[in-house]
Amino acid sequence: MQAFAVVDEFERRIAEFAGSPYAVAVNSGTSALFLSLHYHRIDKMQIRLPAHTFISVPMAVVQCGMVPTFHDLVWQGVYSLNPLPVVDGALRFRRGMYEGGLHCLSFQARKLLNIGEGGAILTDSIDARDWLRRARYCGRSGPDYHVEDIESMGWQMYMTPEKAARGLHLMEYIGDNLPDQQMTYPDLRKVKYFHEQKRLPVGRELRVA
């Protein structure tokens, strides 16, 4: 049995629990957001975010060549990175939670499924699933890849078998209707890095509302 078969089983278990056709396991919730944004990437697109959220979310937006804009949005558990069909679901983990798009989960130590690190992307698109699987593994299709078969860009963002095995163990004890987590985040509009005319590391001036 291949070592990475446990990752496949973890993905099947997460998808079944969430009510999505597919799940793609990655090394963090931030990686899940980055890959999901990159899949839909439109250069310089403005992405609407709550002013109060985890700072890695707008950082992932910037890394994908898009522009985070911050707004007074009240949210609980999940929110969409409008106008893209990408959902930050880091604070929700309950049966049947999937409602479409690329829905990103976090399994960091403080999250409801506390593997320690890791994340996943829920999707109903087989094309997105296949692209995300390659993208998380440096463009490779899997452990038995051939270098000459790589046709697209990728990153080192896959979930290790050890983390997947811990996730499967924890799934044996997870409840079906856990309440959303409550977190207090600072107002990201006050972060100097995101001020208007700030040069961001994508080689261009980006205006941030």
Side-chain angles (χ1 to χ4, degrees):
M1 183 178 183
Q2 290 183 349
F4 277 84
V6 69
V7 179
D8 295 336
E9 179 58 28
F10 178 67
E11 290 176 335
R12 284 192 291 270
R13 186 70 179 275
I14 291 294
E16 183 277 329
F17 182 83
S20 64
Y22 312 108
V24 178
V26 293
N27 64 343
S28 73
T30 300
S31 293
L33 286 165
F34 171 84
L35 292 176
S36 297
L37 289 164
H38 211 283
Y39 179 74
H40 289 293
R41 177 175 176 171
I42 299 176
D43 204 33
K44 297 185 181 180
M45 172 181 275
Q46 292 193 357
I47 305 299
R48 184 179 174 89
L49 301 176
H52 297 269
T53 188
F54 189 55
I55 196 168
S56 75
V57 181
M59 290 292 188
V61 171
V62 171
Q63 290 161 12
C64 288
M66 295 183 280
V67 185
T69 66
F70 302 105
H71 304 269
D72 289 316
L73 303 175
V74 178
W75 63 280
Q76 180 175 319
V78 301
Y79 64 87
S80 296
L81 281 69
N82 290 317
L84 296 179
V86 176
V87 174
D88 179 354
L91 301 186
R92 175 173 294 173
F93 195 75
R94 65 177 66 149
R95 186 171 293 277
M97 62 188 149
Y98 181 68
E99 296 182 354
L102 298 181
H103 184 126
C104 301
L105 305 176
S106 174
F107 307 132
Q108 189 257 0
R110 297 175 63 192
K111 299 303 191 299
L112 292 167
L113 188 69
N114 57 339
I115 294 174
E117 63 180 351
I121 306 161
L122 308 173
T123 181
D124 56 8
S125 166
I126 194 168
D127 290 336
R129 182 204 68 177
D130 291 347
W131 184 90
L132 292 164
R133 284 183 170 179
R134 293 191 302 271
R136 70 176 174 184
Y137 200 55
C138 290
R140 299 172 285 182
S141 59
D144 297 325
Y145 74 97
H146 298 283
V147 171
E148 61 270 22
D149 293 336
I150 297 174
E151 299 177 350
S152 60
M153 181 63 179
W155 296 265
Q156 198 79 342
M157 294 180 174
Y158 63 89
M159 177 177 281
T160 65
E162 294 80 5
K163 295 300 182 185
R166 174 168 167 77
L168 281 171
H169 172 74
L170 292 175
M171 285 295 292
E172 295 296 323
Y173 305 96
I174 201 77
D176 284 350
N177 296 295
L178 295 175
D180 293 334
Q181 286 185 284
Q182 304 294 323
M183 296 281 187
T184 301
Y185 295 111
D187 189 339
L188 296 182
R189 290 169 294 196
K190 299 179 181 179
V191 176
K192 293 180 180 180
Y193 189 75
F194 297 123
H195 284 179
E196 191 174 25
Q197 298 299 325
K198 175 70 180 180
R199 180 173 291 278
L200 301 176
V202 290
R204 63 178 70 87
E205 292 287 350
L206 298 182
R207 298 178 63 87
V208 178

